[in-house]
Amino acid sequence: MLTYQQRAAEVMLHLVTHSAHGYSQPNRAGDGTIETLVLSDGTTTTVHGGDYDCSEAVRMCYVAAGVIPRGTYMWTGNEQTTLLKYGFKRVALTGLQVGDVLLRSGHTEMVVSVGGALKQAGFRMSEHRSTNGTKGDQTGWESAYSALVPSAWSWAYRYVGAQPQDGDKMEPHDVWEYDYRHTAFGGNMYNTLMETHELAQPHNHWEYHYDQADGTNTAPGGNMYNCAVETHGLAESAQPHNVWEYDYKDAEGKSTAPGGNMYNCMVAIYNTVTTMQGELADLQSRLEALEKADTSEAKEA
Protein backbone atom coordinates (compact mmCIF):
# COMPACT_ATOMS: atom_id res chain seq x y z
CA MET A 1 0.00 0.00 0.00
CA LEU A 2 1.29 3.44 -0.90
CA THR A 3 1.87 6.03 1.79
CA TYR A 4 0.02 9.32 1.53
CA GLN A 5 3.26 10.95 0.38
CA GLN A 6 3.71 8.36 -2.37
CA ARG A 7 0.10 8.82 -3.47
CA ALA A 8 0.55 12.59 -3.69
CA ALA A 9 3.79 12.21 -5.65
CA GLU A 10 2.17 9.82 -8.14
CA VAL A 11 -0.65 12.31 -8.69
CA MET A 12 1.86 15.12 -9.24
CA LEU A 13 3.85 13.03 -11.72
CA HIS A 14 0.63 12.34 -13.62
CA LEU A 15 -0.29 16.03 -13.74
CA VAL A 16 3.08 17.26 -14.98
CA THR A 17 3.44 14.59 -17.68
CA HIS A 18 0.05 15.08 -19.33
CA SER A 19 -0.34 17.91 -21.83
CA ALA A 20 -3.96 18.51 -20.80
CA HIS A 21 -2.66 20.28 -17.70
CA GLY A 22 -0.98 23.64 -18.26
CA TYR A 23 -0.18 26.65 -16.10
CA SER A 24 -2.71 29.34 -15.27
CA GLN A 25 -3.32 31.44 -12.18
CA PRO A 26 -6.72 32.82 -13.26
CA ASN A 27 -7.89 29.31 -14.24
CA ARG A 28 -6.08 27.40 -11.48
CA ALA A 29 -9.35 25.72 -10.50
CA GLY A 30 -9.51 23.83 -13.79
CA ASP A 31 -12.07 23.50 -16.55
CA GLY A 32 -14.99 21.94 -14.70
CA THR A 33 -14.22 18.33 -15.58
CA ILE A 34 -13.30 15.58 -13.14
CA GLU A 35 -10.44 13.19 -13.95
CA THR A 36 -10.32 9.77 -12.29
CA LEU A 37 -6.88 8.31 -11.51
CA VAL A 38 -5.95 4.76 -10.50
CA LEU A 39 -2.66 4.76 -8.57
CA SER A 40 -0.07 2.00 -8.59
CA ASP A 41 -1.56 0.34 -5.48
CA GLY A 42 -5.03 0.28 -7.03
CA THR A 43 -6.28 3.32 -5.12
CA THR A 44 -8.84 5.31 -7.11
CA THR A 45 -9.04 9.06 -6.66
CA THR A 46 -10.01 12.18 -8.58
CA VAL A 47 -8.48 15.51 -9.60
CA HIS A 48 -9.90 18.41 -11.55
CA GLY A 49 -9.21 18.64 -15.27
CA GLY A 50 -7.63 21.61 -16.96
CA ASP A 51 -4.99 24.01 -15.70
CA TYR A 52 -3.29 24.59 -12.35
CA ASP A 53 -0.82 26.98 -10.83
CA CYS A 54 2.00 25.86 -8.55
CA SER A 55 0.20 25.89 -5.19
CA GLU A 56 -3.08 24.52 -6.55
CA ALA A 57 -1.18 21.53 -7.97
CA VAL A 58 0.48 20.77 -4.61
CA ARG A 59 -2.85 21.21 -2.82
CA MET A 60 -4.71 19.01 -5.30
CA CYS A 61 -2.14 16.22 -4.99
CA TYR A 62 -2.54 16.01 -1.22
CA VAL A 63 -6.31 16.39 -1.53
CA ALA A 64 -6.37 13.48 -3.97
CA ALA A 65 -4.06 11.49 -1.67
CA GLY A 66 -6.51 11.91 1.20
CA VAL A 67 -4.56 14.27 3.48
CA ILE A 68 -5.81 17.82 2.88
CA PRO A 69 -9.62 18.16 3.02
CA ARG A 70 -11.45 19.02 -0.17
CA GLY A 71 -12.49 22.64 -0.06
CA THR A 72 -9.27 23.88 1.56
CA TYR A 73 -8.00 27.08 -0.05
CA MET A 74 -4.21 27.24 -0.39
CA TRP A 75 -1.75 29.56 -2.12
CA THR A 76 1.94 30.23 -1.49
CA GLY A 77 1.06 32.99 0.97
CA ASN A 78 -0.70 30.61 3.38
CA GLU A 79 0.89 27.34 2.31
CA GLN A 80 3.15 26.91 5.33
CA THR A 81 0.34 27.37 7.86
CA THR A 82 -1.99 25.14 5.81
CA LEU A 83 0.54 22.31 5.65
CA LEU A 84 1.31 22.53 9.38
CA LYS A 85 -2.42 22.38 10.10
CA TYR A 86 -2.81 19.08 8.23
CA GLY A 87 0.02 16.99 9.60
CA PHE A 88 3.16 18.34 7.94
CA LYS A 89 6.34 19.50 9.63
CA ARG A 90 9.23 21.57 8.39
CA VAL A 91 12.32 19.49 7.54
CA ALA A 92 15.85 20.19 6.38
CA LEU A 93 16.58 20.58 2.69
CA THR A 94 19.02 17.70 3.04
CA GLY A 95 17.69 14.15 2.97
CA LEU A 96 14.57 15.03 1.00
CA GLN A 97 12.02 12.27 0.36
CA VAL A 98 9.24 11.49 -2.10
CA GLY A 99 6.21 13.67 -1.39
CA ASP A 100 8.12 16.46 0.37
CA VAL A 101 6.75 19.89 -0.47
CA LEU A 102 9.32 22.47 -1.62
CA LEU A 103 8.65 26.15 -1.07
CA ARG A 104 10.23 29.53 -1.65
CA SER A 105 8.71 32.98 -1.88
CA GLY A 106 6.04 32.83 -4.59
CA HIS A 107 6.62 29.27 -5.80
CA THR A 108 6.17 25.67 -4.68
CA GLU A 109 6.76 22.17 -6.10
CA MET A 110 7.00 18.57 -4.87
CA VAL A 111 9.64 15.85 -4.68
CA VAL A 112 8.73 12.89 -6.92
CA SER A 113 10.47 9.70 -8.00
CA VAL A 114 11.22 9.08 -11.67
CA GLY A 115 12.87 5.73 -12.35
CA GLY A 116 14.09 5.66 -8.75
CA ALA A 117 15.71 9.11 -8.97
CA LEU A 118 14.37 12.05 -6.96
CA LYS A 119 13.13 14.99 -9.04
CA GLN A 120 11.31 18.25 -8.35
CA ALA A 121 7.99 18.56 -10.13
CA GLY A 122 5.38 21.25 -10.45
CA PHE A 123 3.61 23.93 -12.45
CA ARG A 124 5.95 26.74 -13.46
CA MET A 125 4.67 29.30 -15.99
CA SER A 126 2.49 29.61 -19.07
CA GLU A 127 3.73 29.33 -22.64
CA HIS A 128 3.97 33.15 -22.58
CA ARG A 129 6.25 32.97 -19.53
CA SER A 130 3.45 34.65 -17.63
CA THR A 131 0.61 33.74 -15.26
CA ASN A 132 -1.89 32.73 -17.94
CA GLY A 133 -2.13 31.22 -21.41
CA THR A 134 -3.98 28.75 -23.59
CA LYS A 135 -5.51 25.79 -21.79
CA GLY A 136 -3.16 22.80 -21.55
CA ASP A 137 0.61 22.53 -21.64
CA GLN A 138 1.62 24.11 -24.94
CA THR A 139 5.38 23.76 -24.47
CA GLY A 140 6.17 20.76 -22.31
CA TRP A 141 7.60 22.97 -19.57
CA GLU A 142 4.49 24.71 -18.25
CA SER A 143 4.25 21.70 -15.94
CA ALA A 144 7.26 19.41 -15.71
CA TYR A 145 9.81 17.63 -13.54
CA SER A 146 13.53 18.32 -13.49
CA ALA A 147 16.67 17.63 -11.46
CA LEU A 148 16.20 18.10 -7.72
CA VAL A 149 18.10 21.20 -6.58
CA PRO A 150 17.64 21.65 -2.81
CA SER A 151 19.54 24.94 -2.82
CA ALA A 152 16.86 26.48 -5.05
CA TRP A 153 14.35 26.29 -2.19
CA SER A 154 13.90 28.06 1.13
CA TRP A 155 11.81 25.50 3.01
CA ALA A 156 10.68 21.88 2.82
CA TYR A 157 7.66 20.30 4.48
CA ARG A 158 6.99 16.60 5.03
CA TYR A 159 3.74 14.87 5.92
CA VAL A 160 4.24 13.04 9.24
CA GLY A 161 0.64 12.23 10.18
CA ALA A 162 -1.29 8.96 10.14
CA GLN A 163 -1.02 6.67 7.14
CA PRO A 164 -3.75 4.81 5.19
CA GLN A 165 -5.02 1.54 6.64
CA ASP A 166 -6.29 -1.61 4.94
CA GLY A 167 -9.90 -1.10 3.98
CA ASP A 168 -9.64 2.67 3.65
CA LYS A 169 -11.49 3.92 0.61
CA MET A 170 -11.16 7.15 -1.31
CA GLU A 171 -14.48 8.79 -2.04
CA PRO A 172 -14.86 9.97 -5.65
CA HIS A 173 -17.01 13.03 -6.14
CA ASP A 174 -20.69 13.06 -6.78
CA VAL A 175 -22.51 16.00 -8.38
CA TRP A 176 -22.35 18.06 -5.19
CA GLU A 177 -18.60 17.65 -4.89
CA TYR A 178 -17.81 19.54 -8.04
CA ASP A 179 -17.38 22.46 -5.59
CA TYR A 180 -16.03 24.36 -8.52
CA ARG A 181 -13.31 21.78 -8.83
CA HIS A 182 -12.59 21.04 -5.15
CA THR A 183 -11.75 24.59 -4.09
CA ALA A 184 -15.03 25.71 -2.57
CA PHE A 185 -15.11 27.20 0.93
CA GLY A 186 -17.29 24.53 2.50
CA GLY A 187 -15.95 21.59 0.51
CA ASN A 188 -18.85 21.10 -1.90
CA MET A 189 -21.05 23.08 -4.21
CA TYR A 190 -24.02 23.56 -1.88
CA ASN A 191 -21.87 24.84 1.01
CA THR A 192 -20.07 27.09 -1.42
CA LEU A 193 -23.31 28.69 -2.48
CA MET A 194 -24.33 29.12 1.16
CA GLU A 195 -20.99 30.73 1.96
CA THR A 196 -21.12 33.01 -1.06
CA HIS A 197 -24.65 34.09 -0.16
CA GLU A 198 -23.66 34.89 3.44
CA LEU A 199 -20.50 36.74 2.45
CA ALA A 200 -22.28 38.95 -0.06
CA GLN A 201 -22.92 42.46 1.27
CA PRO A 202 -24.05 45.59 -0.58
CA HIS A 203 -21.70 48.54 -0.92
CA ASN A 204 -18.43 46.62 -0.84
CA HIS A 205 -16.45 44.53 -3.31
CA TRP A 206 -19.54 42.46 -4.14
CA GLU A 207 -20.70 45.49 -6.12
CA TYR A 208 -18.24 44.54 -8.86
CA HIS A 209 -20.30 43.87 -11.95
CA TYR A 210 -20.31 40.34 -13.26
CA ASP A 211 -19.65 41.03 -16.92
CA GLN A 212 -19.41 39.00 -20.09
CA ALA A 213 -16.38 39.19 -22.34
CA ASP A 214 -18.00 41.99 -24.33
CA GLY A 215 -18.59 44.03 -21.19
CA THR A 216 -22.33 43.38 -21.02
CA ASN A 217 -23.55 43.21 -17.44
CA THR A 218 -24.90 39.75 -16.67
CA ALA A 219 -25.87 39.67 -13.00
CA PRO A 220 -29.57 40.32 -12.22
CA GLY A 221 -29.60 43.65 -10.40
CA GLY A 222 -26.18 44.48 -11.75
CA ASN A 223 -23.86 43.28 -9.02
CA MET A 224 -22.35 40.16 -7.47
CA TYR A 225 -24.53 40.44 -4.37
CA ASN A 226 -27.72 39.81 -6.32
CA CYS A 227 -25.90 37.16 -8.35
CA ALA A 228 -25.01 35.32 -5.13
CA VAL A 229 -28.52 35.70 -3.71
CA GLU A 230 -30.07 34.36 -6.90
CA THR A 231 -27.65 31.45 -7.09
CA HIS A 232 -28.21 30.59 -3.45
CA GLY A 233 -31.94 30.49 -4.04
CA LEU A 234 -31.49 28.12 -6.96
CA ALA A 235 -29.28 25.83 -4.92
CA GLU A 236 -31.97 25.28 -2.30
CA SER A 237 -34.22 23.56 -4.84
CA ALA A 238 -31.51 21.98 -7.00
CA GLN A 239 -31.53 18.20 -7.26
CA PRO A 240 -28.57 15.94 -8.12
CA HIS A 241 -28.13 15.38 -11.84
CA ASN A 242 -30.11 18.45 -12.82
CA VAL A 243 -28.41 21.18 -10.82
CA TRP A 244 -26.29 22.20 -13.78
CA GLU A 245 -29.41 22.54 -15.94
CA TYR A 246 -30.68 25.59 -14.05
CA ASP A 247 -30.21 28.48 -16.45
CA TYR A 248 -29.28 31.66 -14.67
CA LYS A 249 -31.60 34.15 -16.41
CA ASP A 250 -32.24 37.86 -16.17
CA ALA A 251 -35.66 39.55 -15.92
CA GLU A 252 -36.14 39.26 -19.69
CA GLY A 253 -35.56 35.52 -19.62
CA LYS A 254 -32.13 35.71 -21.24
CA SER A 255 -29.43 33.35 -20.02
CA THR A 256 -26.89 35.43 -18.11
CA ALA A 257 -24.15 33.03 -17.02
CA PRO A 258 -21.27 32.40 -19.46
CA GLY A 259 -22.23 29.10 -21.03
CA GLY A 260 -25.83 29.52 -19.88
CA ASN A 261 -25.88 27.61 -16.59
CA MET A 262 -25.23 27.98 -12.90
CA TYR A 263 -22.01 25.97 -12.96
CA ASN A 264 -20.20 28.46 -15.19
CA CYS A 265 -21.64 31.30 -13.14
CA MET A 266 -20.01 29.86 -10.02
CA VAL A 267 -16.74 29.26 -11.86
CA ALA A 268 -16.56 32.94 -12.69
CA ILE A 269 -17.46 33.96 -9.13
CA TYR A 270 -14.80 31.62 -7.73
CA ASN A 271 -12.09 33.05 -9.97
CA THR A 272 -13.07 36.58 -8.94
CA VAL A 273 -13.04 35.69 -5.25
CA THR A 274 -9.66 33.96 -5.60
CA THR A 275 -8.17 37.07 -7.17
CA MET A 276 -9.67 39.25 -4.45
CA GLN A 277 -8.27 37.02 -1.70
CA GLY A 278 -4.79 37.34 -3.13
CA GLU A 279 -5.14 41.11 -3.48
CA LEU A 280 -6.43 41.44 0.08
CA ALA A 281 -3.52 39.38 1.41
CA ASP A 282 -1.06 41.61 -0.44
CA LEU A 283 -2.75 44.73 0.95
CA GLN A 284 -2.62 43.31 4.46
CA SER A 285 1.11 42.64 4.14
CA ARG A 286 1.68 46.19 2.92
CA LEU A 287 -0.36 47.65 5.77
CA GLU A 288 1.59 45.62 8.32
CA ALA A 289 4.85 46.86 6.81
CA LEU A 290 3.61 50.47 6.97
CA GLU A 291 2.53 50.04 10.58
CA LYS A 292 5.95 48.69 11.51
CA ALA A 293 7.60 51.60 9.73
CA ASP A 294 5.38 54.10 11.55
CA THR A 295 6.18 52.46 14.90
CA SER A 296 9.90 52.62 14.19
CA GLU A 297 9.71 56.30 13.22
CA ALA A 298 7.72 57.11 16.36
CA LYS A 299 10.33 55.42 18.56
CA GLU A 300 13.14 57.31 16.86
CA ALA A 301 11.28 60.58 17.33
Side-chain angles (χ1 to χ4, degrees):
M1 178 181 293
L2 294 174
T3 65
Y4 285 130
Q5 300 96 305
Q6 290 169 332
R7 286 182 180 179
E10 283 197 8
V11 174
M12 178 63 83
L13 193 58
H14 166 82
L15 293 177
V16 302
T17 55
H18 285 72
S19 61
H21 306 295
Y23 184 95
S24 174
Q25 283 186 10
N27 299 309
R28 72 197 295 264
D31 61 3
T33 62
I34 299 296
E35 184 178 0
T36 299
L37 305 180
V38 179
L39 306 182
S40 63
D41 65 350
T43 301
T44 299
T45 189
T46 56
V47 297
H48 69 64
D51 291 347
Y52 293 76
D53 67 5
C54 63
S55 55
E56 172 64 6
V58 170
R59 186 198 73 88
M60 186 76 263
C61 289
Y62 270 103
V63 166
V67 173
I68 296 178
R70 296 190 185 276
T72 301
Y73 176 76
M74 189 175 84
W75 65 297
T76 52
N78 74 350
E79 186 167 346
Q80 296 185 71
T81 55
T82 301
L83 294 176
L84 291 172
K85 180 179 179 180
Y86 293 113
F88 290 75
K89 73 172 184 178
R90 185 173 168 180
V91 296
L93 287 165
T94 56
L96 292 170
Q97 300 176 10
V98 168
D100 286 351
V101 176
L102 306 169
L103 181 64
R104 61 175 181 257
S105 179
H107 189 54
T108 185
E109 295 192 11
M110 184 184 295
V111 178
V112 301
S113 176
V114 180
L118 296 182
K119 304 287 185 179
Q120 58 193 44
F123 284 68
R124 296 168 177 177
M125 66 181 73
S126 78
E127 72 272 21
H128 305 302
R129 298 187 180 275
S130 66
T131 59
N132 195 21
T134 303
K135 176 183 169 184
D137 190 342
Q138 310 300 311
T139 62
W141 44 254
E142 290 186 50
S143 58
Y145 64 82
S146 56
L148 178 59
V149 183
S151 61
W153 303 96
S154 301
W155 308 282
Y157 287 84
R158 178 174 301 153
Y159 177 70
V160 294
Q163 292 294 337
Q165 304 296 316
D166 288 339
D168 285 354
K169 293 182 178 180
M170 302 293 291
E171 296 184 1
H173 303 79
D174 62 18
V175 65
W176 291 107
E177 290 190 297
Y178 274 66
D179 67 7
Y180 33 94
R181 293 92 42 165
H182 325 317
T183 51
F185 302 105
N188 60 48
M189 181 184 159
Y190 180 73
N191 288 331
T192 298
L193 298 173
M194 293 282 288
E195 185 84 6
T196 304
H197 172 66
E198 291 169 4
L199 285 174
Q201 299 293 331
H203 312 304
N204 63 13
H205 60 268
W206 292 101
E207 297 290 339
Y208 280 98
H209 285 181
Y210 179 52
D211 294 337
Q212 298 182 115
D214 64 1
T216 304
N217 187 278
T218 60
N223 58 52
M224 283 183 66
Y225 173 72
N226 289 326
C227 176
V229 170
E230 181 80 6
T231 306
H232 170 69
L234 290 174
E236 291 183 330
S237 60
Q239 299 297 318
H241 310 299
N242 72 0
V243 62
W244 306 119
E245 301 301 321
Y246 279 85
D247 276 0
Y248 186 51
K249 301 180 185 299
D250 60 17
E252 298 176 352
K254 296 178 181 179
S255 180
T256 60
N261 58 53
M262 191 169 71
Y263 173 71
N264 287 325
C265 175
M266 291 311 301
V267 169
I269 292 177
Y270 166 71
N271 288 333
T272 301
V273 172
T274 299
T275 300
M276 289 176 179
Q277 287 173 324
E279 291 173 349
L280 287 172
D282 290 340
L283 286 173
Q284 184 176 4
S285 297
R286 293 178 186 178
L287 287 172
E288 290 174 354
L290 288 172
E291 289 173 357
K292 290 180 181 178
D294 290 342
T295 302
S296 298
E297 290 176 2
K299 289 181 179 178
E300 291 176 0

